[in-house]
Amino acid sequence: MSEKADFLVVGLGAMGSATLYQLARRGAKVIGLDRFSPPHTLGSSHGETRITRQAVGEGRDYVPFVMNSQRVWRELEAETGEHLFNACGVLVMAPGVGEVSHHGKPDFVIRSIDAARAFGIKHEVLNGKDVTGRFPQFLGLQGNEKVYYEPGGGYVMPERCVHAQLTRAKALGAAIRTNVEVGSIAQTGTSVRVETTAGTFEAGQVVVSAGAWNAHLLGAPFDRLLTVNRQLLHWFELEDTSAYRADAPVFIWMHGATDVDYFYGFPPPSGDRRLKVATEQYETRTTADTINRVVDPAESAKMYRQHVQGRMAGVTPRVAQAAACLYTVTPDRGFIIDRHPEQDSVFVISACSGHGFKHSAGIGNAVAEKVAEGRSSVDLSAFSVSRF
Ligand SMILES: Cc1cc2nc3c(=O)[nH]c(=O)nc-3n(C[C@H](O)[C@H](O)[C@H](O)COP(=O)(O)OP(=O)(O)OC[C@H]3O[C@@H](n4cnc5c(N)ncnc54)[C@H](O)[C@@H]3O)c2cc1C
């Protein structure tokens, strides 16, 4: 006997919890399945904070997602009483001379400014000297840096967002099965069978949002397109928080010529004496099942030396906390949000490439529209599988 629903959502992290919630809001009979019990620390959606900015330098096609996401976070805050989105502002800084690429895109600051102008997003164009005058936590700026400042940007709390969407989905009638691992997904005619460690499930359509496990679960062509990279988050102890004032923004700071000469960070919440920072790497591949989740103190020491030291005020090399996390990356560092090329009742979301969280609530809404109503209010053509 199989359990039946209109829709199944496989994987309930950032993308899956959002999709489940949006389908439940539409009154659909939907079941969500996850191999663990989200929110958890084994995928891509942990570590307390994620940057959000509306003027998305990765491309204008993303802007509707982040706009919708910020609206959904605010709605969820009103419904659940949880604080999810801190609009503390965001700074994107790049050297004054030369081009620097970020997330695979050249001249990221200029692209951000252009997107802000095109969509009427409130912003300021600054230079390094302005930043030094306004935000004393940043040290050693030359003065001529190109800087984009978005006062309405900031950060969202990923574990809280996942939890809030799952809670609301359940209240709206969705069934949630945790600690249930999906082994295979097969479409026959108009129905899709999903074999799991808790038996067989059947639905008219299945949304697969298994994050770093997508390639393994889906096979070709996704196993060829998706690579997984281990990324690290570090929290360094602050001995003096006085430079981090109430208006302290989130920041993305490109300080050298290559796309790894960069780090990003979050202002410490009031009363917290930890500075959370991270960089990115795309060289070393891993898998969701074999990743080394232990951060070696030498890895944090390298992060401090290469990026933090001399650039941030009041920070010490003492590591308060560190975590490993997973990026699932496509060849052009964009997203895949599309039907499976061979099983048209299976819809795939692989929206990471290191910048997916800010878009997740909006992606969940767009995918729910697409599978439940046949068309999405957001143009998804830039996220097709066929572009590869
Ligand atoms: C260190 C780091 C920093 C980041 N910073 C930012 C940022 O500042 N801003 C931003 O916008 N984005 C950021 N991102 C990207 C963003 O966090 C990801 O795009 C997003 O979390 C991806 O969500 P997901 O739903 O695809 O994956 P996940 O949240 O990992 O969810 C996948 C789920 O699928 C489940 N699953 C897997 N296989 C199965 C199976 N066989 N059966 C059942 N369930 C299964 C897993 O248990 C998991 O719960 C960052 C990512 C990392 C790692």
Side-chain angles (χ1 to χ4, degrees):
M1 266 290 279
S2 60
E3 207 170 322
K4 293 193 169 70
D6 299 332
F7 303 97
L8 291 174
V9 179
V10 176
L12 300 177
M15 307 302 154
S17 62
T19 308
L20 189 81
Y21 166 53
Q22 295 296 341
L23 284 169
R25 279 189 58 202
R26 288 168 169 77
K29 182 164 190 236
V30 55
I31 304 175
L33 305 165
D34 200 286
R35 64 187 294 161
F36 302 118
S37 185
H40 59 71
T41 57
L42 302 168
S44 304
S45 301
H46 58 282
E48 302 177 5
T49 47
R50 291 290 186 270
I51 295 176
T52 175
R53 46 194 157 77
Q54 290 190 342
V56 184
E58 286 86 354
R60 294 186 188 181
D61 298 310
Y62 297 87
V63 176
F65 290 142
V66 71
M67 298 262 200
N68 285 336
S69 295
Q70 293 189 359
R71 180 182 48 74
V72 173
W73 307 136
R74 290 302 186 214
E75 280 170 17
L76 281 164
E77 285 180 330
E79 284 168 6
T80 63
E82 275 280 354
H83 179 41
L84 306 176
F85 171 26
N86 186 353
C88 58
V90 60
L91 279 177
V92 186
M93 306 192 272
V97 181
E99 275 205 3
V100 187
S101 96
H102 179 59
H103 287 163
K105 299 290 184 266
D107 237 339
F108 199 81
V109 171
I110 304 300
R111 288 171 67 93
S112 301
I113 295 166
D114 288 348
R117 288 185 178 142
F119 287 90
I121 296 160
K122 195 172 166 199
H123 70 284
E124 288 177 54
V125 179
L126 307 177
N127 60 31
K129 187 161 172 267
D130 302 323
V131 173
T132 303
R134 277 168 73 166
F135 303 112
Q137 64 270 45
F138 302 108
L139 308 176
L141 286 158
Q142 305 290 305
N144 66 342
E145 287 83 359
K146 298 174 213 161
V147 181
Y148 171 78
Y149 175 56
E150 187 178 299
Y155 62 86
V156 283
M157 286 81 138
E159 293 92 341
R160 291 189 198 178
C161 292
V162 169
H163 182 260
Q165 288 171 115
L166 293 180
T167 304
R168 288 295 300 138
K170 199 169 171 184
L172 291 164
I176 296 176
R177 301 289 153 75
T178 53
N179 302 307
V180 173
E181 183 178 348
V182 172
S184 67
I185 299 164
Q187 182 175 343
T188 38
T190 55
S191 123
V192 187
R193 272 171 81 86
V194 171
E195 301 296 342
T196 80
T197 47
T200 305
F201 291 76
E202 242 178 281
Q205 294 190 73
V206 174
V207 177
V208 183
S209 45
W213 289 264
N214 266 339
H216 177 73
L217 183 60
L218 292 162
F222 300 95
D223 50 359
R224 174 173 62 77
L225 298 175
L226 303 175
T227 55
V228 177
N229 301 119
R230 175 176 177 260
Q231 306 293 350
L232 302 179
L233 300 167
H234 313 264
W235 287 257
F236 291 104
E237 283 181 25
L238 286 163
E239 60 190 356
D240 179 4
T241 55
S242 57
Y244 301 84
R245 298 187 305 226
D247 64 346
V250 162
F251 64 92
I252 294 172
W253 187 349
M254 295 159 246
H255 55 74
T258 76
D259 71 352
V260 289
D261 292 329
Y262 118 93
F263 72 121
Y264 63 92
F266 301 81
S270 162
D272 195 333
R273 298 187 72 86
R274 302 169 309 151
L275 181 72
K276 180 189 162 188
V277 289
T279 184
E280 295 177 333
Q281 68 84 22
Y282 297 94
E283 296 298 306
T284 315
R285 292 182 180 189
T286 186
T287 71
D289 294 320
T290 57
I291 179 182
N292 174 11
R293 296 184 186 278
V294 179
V295 183
D296 192 308
E299 294 179 299
S300 295
K302 186 176 168 201
M303 174 73 200
Y304 187 83
R305 236 179 14 253
Q306 289 191 342
H307 300 290
V308 182
Q309 189 170 29
R311 293 199 176 92
M312 300 304 300
V315 66
T316 74
R318 290 192 297 276
V319 182
Q321 193 182 332
C325 194
L326 293 156
Y327 274 11
T328 306
V329 183
T330 68
D332 63 4
R333 301 208 197 162
F335 299 163
I336 293 172
I337 307 172
D338 198 3
R339 292 194 185 277
H340 189 294
E342 275 144 33
Q343 304 189 58
D344 63 358
S345 299
V346 176
F347 202 95
V348 178
I349 312 177
S350 182
C352 182
S353 292
H355 56 101
F357 202 92
K358 68 178 74 58
H359 304 296
S360 55
I363 291 173
N365 189 50
V367 172
E369 287 175 337
K370 185 83 181 167
V371 297
E373 292 151 19
R375 62 181 302 278
S376 165
S377 54
V378 177
D379 181 5
L380 299 178
S381 54
F383 309 105
S384 68
V385 193
S386 62
R387 77 183 188 276
F388 297 112

